[in-house]
Amino acid sequence: MNEMTKPQLSQHAYSDAAKKALSRRPALFINNEWVWPKTDATIAVIDPSSGKEISRFVDASDADVDRAVAAARTAFDDGRWSDLPPIVREAMMHKLADLIDAHADEFAELEAIDNGKPKGMAAAVDIPGAVGMLHYMAGWASKLGGDLIEPMSAPRGAYHSYVRREPVGVAAQIVPWNFPLLMAVLKIAPALAAGCTLILKPAEQTSLTALRLADLVAEAGFPAGVINIITGNGHTAGDRLVRHPDVDKVAFTGSTEVGKIINRTATDSLKRVTLELGGKSPVIVLPDVDIAEASGGAAGAIFFNSGQVCIAGSRLYAHRSIFDKLLEGVAGAAAFWAPRPSLDPAGHMGPLVSSEQFDRVMGYIEAGKKAGASVAMGGDAPPSDGGYYVNPTVLVDVKPDMSVVQEEIFGPVVVAQRFDDLDEVAKSANDSCFGLGAGIWTRDLKAMHTLAAKIKAGTVWGNCHAMIDPALPFGGYKQSGLGREQARQGVEAYTELKSVIIKL
């Protein structure tokens, strides 16, 4: 691409709906009301496409967090949500999903402005995903139940014994910046279905869609205090939530480093914890594939959402016989993934979320080169008017102990390596402290199932990548997290079991 045809990397105009959201006075959503904080501290909203401040929101204090937790605690203890007929709770969740869908274009634009992802991608993936998650989880509200069990150590009929499944209580939910609305709903929906009340804290980099969601919570008719949304920094507001004695459950998605801190902190009061953490997912390509299809899939696995995906296919293992051709195919996809501003309708990959993330990704690229890696593609940042853009990057000549191979970069950077046989590549794929996802490309059914059984990851994809569905449990092995989200298991994570035994 020559200089004359390069896109102008500056943001497009905002809609009136977006301008209205950006002009909102900083406030917190507690007890179905917008309340003014106990602090004057605020956090800037930065548009990653331009690097410019466009709004501000509340940096909640301890007193603000305490107020939100008290609202959720009261709402749970008096049963205004958990005691409702399940079909009523289900209907309210469906209504919230429908309201999000009715404002889909606005949510997609806010997500693009706040996170940097292309609006078209948010409209195709993030918003429908959030709507679908709510609709799916709503159905569980009327389907959760316990079991009637005959004791094995007593005569039949001597005891009436059963197991109740009850909501765990008040949930603190802390979500990341890479899929802000989708991650928020992924946390909110199972908690609501189980009968819990909650406090949601969106990431300090991306709070716009969570704040807009709060308007719809009230419109959908949820009782006051069931869903509370506060903004603030993770090390202050997030930490206060995790430590709070009236919080029964913590659900966090984010980095493994922060997840470990949360897990240690929650242990003091033995809070129930679900953690969905980092990943370094391998993509394994066997020699029998269609090169064009596999190279396009491998490119999408790492460049989608600018590589800011916990399951990004950031380690590419291609059989030696097709390695060069596969990399040619990945390079051929570079034009499609060339970074553009988030509101550019021609864009498929936007900027990184922040200047900090830009520095992190570029630092990893430089560290890789210093360690001996070669840049086969990209490795640099395109000219821009201040946004946080990084070109799609492929590193080769890497060694297993390099930081670019072992650590989560969270950017559009893939390390490509050769392999000769299945045992070798299975060992290499498992040579990581992470175990969130993995992809396998082959027409050989036996090889597919053999590798799927050997790879230590919570999800294994065959001839695709990042296919996520609410009906399938999601989570990681090793340091990629604790527990599972989505599906029945995701709802049950917000419940406790109680055995009741009555002598007749």
Side-chain angles (χ1 to χ4, degrees):
M1 184 179 289
N2 60 44
E3 291 293 332
M4 296 298 293
T5 59
K6 283 184 179 179
Q8 181 65 26
L9 298 182
S10 58
Q11 186 59 296
H12 291 51
Y14 302 156
S15 70
D16 290 342
K19 291 176 182 177
K20 181 179 178 181
L22 293 170
S23 65
R24 183 196 300 269
R25 177 181 172 182
L28 304 168
F29 186 76
I30 300 173
N31 261 333
N32 275 16
E33 296 179 340
W34 290 106
V35 299
W36 311 131
K38 303 289 187 182
T39 175
D40 294 328
T42 58
I43 298 172
V45 179
I46 305 295
D47 183 338
S49 292
S50 66
K52 297 177 180 178
E53 180 178 328
I54 55 175
S55 186
R56 301 193 77 86
F57 57 85
V58 175
D59 184 7
S61 66
D62 285 357
D64 295 319
V65 174
D66 292 349
R67 185 162 40 158
V69 174
R73 183 82 262 168
T74 299
F76 181 77
D77 289 346
D78 68 17
R80 71 184 69 168
W81 178 247
S82 58
D83 288 350
L84 284 176
I87 197 68
V88 174
R89 289 191 277 118
E90 179 177 340
M92 213 171 295
M93 292 175 67
H94 284 307
K95 185 173 182 180
L96 180 59
D98 290 340
L99 286 169
I100 295 173
D101 194 38
H103 294 83
D105 187 72
E106 178 186 352
F107 274 107
E109 182 182 7
L110 289 175
E111 209 74 301
I113 292 170
D114 208 15
N115 169 271
K117 66 181 62 192
K119 180 184 175 183
M121 191 266 277
V125 177
D126 296 51
I127 313 309
V131 171
M133 185 68 67
L134 266 168
H135 280 313
Y136 172 81
M137 286 296 177
W140 279 109
S142 58
K143 296 170 184 64
L144 285 176
D147 297 292
L148 179 67
I149 299 174
E150 290 281 353
M152 62 172 285
S153 56
R156 182 175 177 84
Y159 291 85
H160 178 60
S161 53
Y162 57 94
V163 178
R164 290 176 52 87
R165 186 174 292 280
E166 302 177 348
V168 70
V170 174
Q173 304 181 315
I174 304 171
V175 297
W177 45 256
N178 56 340
F179 293 90
L181 180 67
L182 181 55
M183 290 291 103
V185 170
L186 187 148
K187 294 286 189 290
I188 289 171
L192 294 175
C196 296
T197 60
L198 62 96
I199 309 96
L200 173 74
K201 194 202 84 66
E204 51 266 37
Q205 298 87 349
T206 54
S207 294
L208 290 181
T209 49
L211 293 170
R212 184 67 182 97
L213 177 65
D215 296 325
L216 306 187
V217 168
E219 186 176 344
F222 283 86
V226 173
I227 300 174
N228 306 276
I229 300 177
I230 62 170
T231 54
N233 281 299
H235 65 277
T236 53
D239 183 69
R240 180 67 172 178
L241 277 173
V242 174
R243 296 179 185 276
H244 204 289
D246 284 335
V247 168
D248 304 298
K249 157 89 178 180
V250 176
F252 170 78
T253 295
S255 71
T256 294
E257 292 76 15
V258 175
K260 289 178 179 179
I261 294 171
I262 288 174
N263 197 39
R264 285 194 293 268
T265 303
T267 298
D268 288 341
S269 54
L270 289 181
K271 289 178 173 61
R272 305 310 187 240
V273 177
T274 302
L275 302 173
E276 193 267 279
L277 307 176
K280 193 72 175 176
S281 299
V283 174
I284 301 168
V285 185
L286 274 60
D288 62 344
V289 299
D290 178 293
I291 295 293
E293 181 183 7
S295 58
I302 182 60
F303 302 138
F304 171 73
N305 208 44
S306 304
Q308 298 171 131
V309 187
C310 56
I311 50 175
S314 54
R315 290 185 293 150
L316 176 59
Y317 296 94
H319 191 269
R320 187 175 301 277
S321 64
I322 61 165
F323 183 86
D324 293 335
K325 289 184 178 179
L326 189 77
L327 255 61
E328 288 177 10
V330 173
F336 179 86
W337 294 105
R340 292 174 179 263
S342 64
L343 297 184
D344 186 336
H348 300 103
M349 188 177 94
L352 300 180
V353 72
S354 65
S355 60
E356 292 81 4
Q357 191 63 16
F358 175 86
D359 291 341
R360 172 186 171 89
V361 172
M362 295 304 295
Y364 268 109
I365 293 173
E366 289 305 309
K369 290 192 291 186
K370 287 180 181 179
S374 303
V375 178
M377 183 179 85
D380 58 352
S384 73
D385 292 337
Y388 313 125
Y389 302 91
V390 174
N391 283 319
T393 298
V394 178
L395 300 180
V396 295
D397 302 322
V398 297
K399 296 179 181 179
D401 61 346
M402 289 182 179
S403 63
V404 290
V405 177
Q406 290 296 327
E407 299 175 21
E408 185 176 40
I409 299 173
F410 227 60
V413 182
V414 62
V415 293
Q417 302 167 75
R418 298 171 175 83
F419 75 90
D420 293 302
D421 59 63
L422 295 188
D423 288 338
E424 174 195 358
V425 75
K427 183 178 179 181
S428 297
N430 288 330
D431 182 19
S432 171
C433 66
F434 300 111
L436 193 56
I440 304 165
W441 290 79
T442 181
R443 296 172 178 171
D444 184 338
L445 197 60
K446 180 179 179 181
M448 176 74 74
H449 288 297
T450 298
L451 281 173
K454 288 185 176 183
I455 292 174
K456 293 179 173 61
T459 302
V460 178
W461 295 280
N463 299 323
C464 62
H465 198 88
M467 167 61 182
I468 302 295
D469 189 272
L472 295 169
F474 182 79
Y477 284 36
K478 298 186 280 188
Q479 294 188 36
S480 285
L482 293 173
R484 292 295 183 268
E485 296 185 301
Q486 305 185 152
R488 173 194 287 271
Q489 292 83 357
V491 185
E492 291 180 345
Y494 287 90
T495 66
E496 293 277 23
L497 294 177
K498 176 188 291 180
S499 294
V500 179
I501 307 162
I502 304 169
K503 184 177 181 180
L504 300 178

